[in-house]
Amino acid sequence: MWFFITPEVVYGQDAVSRLGQLKGKSAFIVTDANVVKLGFVDKVKEQLSKAGIGSTVFDEVEPDPSLETVKKGSSEMTKSGPDLIVALGGGSVLDAAKAMWVEYAGPGMKAEEINPFTTGMGLQNKARLVCIPTTSGTGAEATWGIVLTDQAEQRKMSVGSRETMPDIAIVDPQFATEMPPGLTAQTGMDALTHSVEGFTSSWKNDISDGLCIKAIQLVFQYLPRAYKNGQDMEAREKMANAACIAGMGFINSMCAMAHAAGHSLGAVFHTPHGRAVGLFLPYTIEFIGDVREELWAEIAYSIKLEVPKGKKAGPILAEAIRGLARSIKEPLSIKETGIPADSFNNSIEKLVDNAFADFQLVTTARVPSTEETQKFLRYAYEGKSIDF
Ligand SMILES: [Fe+2]
């Protein structure tokens, strides 16, 4: 028995007005200071007040949210007693809100204890969760996954179960227009990595396949446009949709090695999530190689990449992804992210350990050994195509 879980998805221009139709007594808005500064929180409050719902704001979520922030937010939530939680921000904000929701509405559970087999929490009995993304990449509005950072251990934790899926995802492109080009690029690469990994992981399935392929097409077509001109509303809308579609796809099939390695690198060197996973994606395709050749060919066909007769699609797809990344000024190697060689070498064992602690290494279609993972990271540092 397999589940395919999604929230209600409200999308397109002015999707935020869905808030004005909700029923509830009081809302708790989880966000960050930058989103407040952009005036987005006011837009959300305005819609909530149309529904007669008052709101309290918690704007202290940092990038790569820590357990401490989750504890602080959930204790504020407990004081406020909302029946609606509205998360407004990037993936960090949305994930932190899911974790706070568990601690606030669950039966005395800690967010870090939730695993994919946790059921029976009954979170909706106390409050519903609405997620509104302000970036187009993580797809966190449509996933139950929660990534938290244990700062003391320099480790990222992936927690969550299907019960931490938001109730409503509001994908309104107006909130994506203020993303600077660098953030547009990084988060777009995250959406691409979700969809390519979701389409080829060992848990791939009939339900998620179509979503993943569609998201790959949208990213290839619209990410360069959204990067070049942030006010290109068609490109912004298509990328917002792509991120949500990719989220619905991969959360029901899981990601793979680019995410395991990306989480590991991010935990040690604070490389932004989308940048880290995006740079590992071509190496992951090369490493998995022939095990998924048919699927690389399917992806290549879907984005009209020419694969000459007798040639393999995997390396051609990997190069096309490097070309896309280059066109939006994303790094192609760990070295290009600015991490010095000695720091990288000193952390290699930690990086391998972190990658192995990530569940998504196991859902990679070709599961690497410890030695292979170390070699993979060294190749990715130097920008050398995988040949083993
Ligand atoms: Fe991701």
Side-chain angles (χ1 to χ4, degrees):
M1 182 171 70
W2 295 86
F3 289 89
F4 180 80
I5 317 274
T6 68
E8 169 189 311
V9 177
V10 189
Y11 62 98
Q13 310 237 355
D14 208 33
V16 71
S17 59
R18 174 74 176 102
L19 287 175
Q21 304 169 342
L22 297 180
K23 291 200 171 24
K25 290 193 187 84
S26 69
F28 189 91
I29 300 172
V30 179
T31 188
D32 64 36
N34 189 46
V35 172
V36 175
K37 219 187 296 164
L38 290 170
F40 294 163
V41 173
D42 291 336
K43 292 188 177 183
V44 162
K45 278 180 165 175
E46 188 188 314
Q47 290 298 331
L48 288 168
S49 70
K50 279 185 192 165
I53 302 171
S55 40
T56 305
V57 179
F58 177 82
D59 65 358
E60 295 175 38
V61 181
E62 74 279 38
D64 300 331
S66 62
L67 290 172
E68 290 71 29
T69 299
V70 170
K71 309 286 165 209
K72 192 168 180 200
S74 59
S75 114
E76 297 283 317
M77 220 177 252
T78 303
K79 277 184 223 154
S80 163
D83 55 359
L84 198 64
I85 300 163
V86 180
L88 175 70
S92 295
V93 164
L94 307 191
D95 280 9
K98 292 174 204 169
M100 292 170 196
W101 184 35
V102 166
E103 301 210 342
Y104 166 65
M109 313 185 83
K110 288 186 183 160
E112 61 268 33
E113 292 168 355
I114 308 301
N115 65 57
F117 304 103
T118 307
T119 54
M121 292 190 285
L123 302 180
Q124 279 83 1
N125 296 335
K126 197 157 174 183
R128 287 184 300 156
L129 175 65
V130 180
C131 283
I132 310 176
T134 57
T135 60
S136 301
T138 68
E141 68 278 12
T143 73
W144 48 256
I146 303 170
V147 180
L148 300 174
T149 298
D150 184 333
Q151 288 169 329
E153 295 277 317
Q154 284 194 321
R155 192 168 70 88
K156 288 204 177 192
M157 287 175 290
S158 295
V159 299
S161 82
R162 61 188 157 86
E163 294 193 358
T164 53
M165 178 64 88
D167 295 287
I168 303 177
I170 295 182
V171 185
D172 189 326
Q174 68 169 308
F175 295 120
T177 52
E178 296 300 324
M179 267 193 293
L183 189 59
T184 302
Q186 286 163 29
T187 51
M189 289 305 289
D190 191 21
L192 180 65
T193 309
H194 291 153
S195 45
V196 173
E197 294 205 295
F199 188 67
T200 54
S201 84
S202 53
W203 286 10
K204 74 186 291 335
N205 60 78
D206 293 346
I207 316 278
S208 61
D209 278 356
L211 292 164
C212 291
I213 279 285
K214 182 66 188 177
I216 294 168
Q217 291 173 329
L218 289 171
V219 172
F220 264 90
Q221 194 174 350
Y222 293 101
L223 178 55
R225 271 176 58 178
Y227 173 80
K228 264 189 218 117
N229 175 11
Q231 298 305 314
D232 179 340
M233 282 314 289
E234 187 192 21
R236 286 296 198 195
E237 186 168 343
K238 294 290 186 181
M239 280 306 300
N241 291 347
C244 183
I245 293 167
M248 287 190 283
F250 94 82
I251 198 62
N252 289 287
S253 63
M254 301 315 285
C255 278
M257 196 166 176
H259 265 78
H263 282 152
S264 174
L265 192 74
V268 178
F269 293 107
H270 308 290
T271 314
H273 174 77
R275 174 162 295 165
V277 300
L279 91 79
F280 284 123
L281 180 60
Y283 302 97
T284 300
I285 293 170
E286 290 165 348
F287 176 75
I288 295 170
D290 289 352
V291 178
R292 288 293 194 229
E293 174 57 22
E294 255 179 58
L295 300 181
W296 309 135
E298 260 188 66
I299 295 173
Y301 178 79
S302 79
I303 54 171
K304 303 186 174 68
L305 263 187
E306 207 186 313
V307 181
K309 229 180 167 176
K311 295 272 184 205
K312 287 184 177 169
I316 291 173
L317 176 62
E319 277 314 299
I321 290 170
R322 288 190 173 105
L324 173 68
R326 185 57 88 205
S327 76
I328 55 172
K329 300 199 167 51
E330 279 300 290
L332 303 185
S333 67
I334 300 174
K335 194 194 268 178
E336 281 183 19
T337 67
I339 296 169
D342 54 345
S343 311
F344 173 76
N345 288 328
N346 291 339
S347 303
I348 189 83
E349 281 173 20
K350 174 85 185 152
L351 291 170
V352 172
D353 284 354
N354 278 353
F356 269 88
D358 195 299
F359 175 71
Q360 296 177 108
L361 204 67
V362 182
T363 48
T364 306
R366 176 187 166 200
V367 180
S369 65
T370 315
E371 292 70 33
E372 284 168 338
T373 304
Q374 192 173 128
K375 210 169 159 188
F376 174 93
L377 290 166
R378 290 195 187 284
Y379 272 51
Y381 184 84
E382 293 297 338
K384 213 170 138 192
S385 292
I386 304 290
D387 57 6
F388 56 92

